[in-house]
Amino acid sequence: NGYNALHLAALNNKKDTELIELLLTNMSLNSINKKDRWGDTPLDRAYKYNKSPIKQKIIDLIRSKGGKRG
């Protein structure tokens, strides 16, 4: 479906941002802004589907590394 690890972490992480921080440190900007088959970037996935208390923290982290919405 065109997902990468950041798509899944942005969508599913509910308790901490450790994994997202690790991924962002080791991913290229192209990977951070990769669109899945529906045209969603990892940042889109966080906005649309992450319903956790750390949602805004995840969004801020991805944006701080150049993440954009699809």
Side-chain angles (χ1 to χ4, degrees):
N1 292 325
Y3 296 133
N4 64 27
L6 186 56
H7 281 90
L8 298 174
L11 168 70
N12 293 311
N13 281 32
K14 309 271 188 253
K15 295 185 179 178
D16 64 58
T17 59
E18 243 178 83
L19 177 60
I20 293 170
E21 291 173 37
L22 176 69
L23 291 170
L24 288 169
T25 301
N26 294 292
M27 292 180 101
S28 69
L29 189 56
N30 285 339
S31 293
I32 292 170
N33 288 311
K34 182 180 189 304
K35 292 181 181 179
D36 62 19
R37 96 178 213 203
W38 297 277
D40 287 341
T41 65
L43 187 57
D44 290 321
R45 292 273 148 188
Y47 268 107
K48 292 179 182 180
Y49 303 111
N50 190 310
K51 304 296 183 208
S52 74
I54 64 166
K55 173 182 178 173
Q56 190 60 50
K57 203 175 207 182
I58 292 168
I59 289 168
D60 293 344
L61 263 174
I62 296 172
R63 286 188 149 199
S64 75
K65 296 295 185 173
K68 305 227 184 285
R69 295 194 72 181

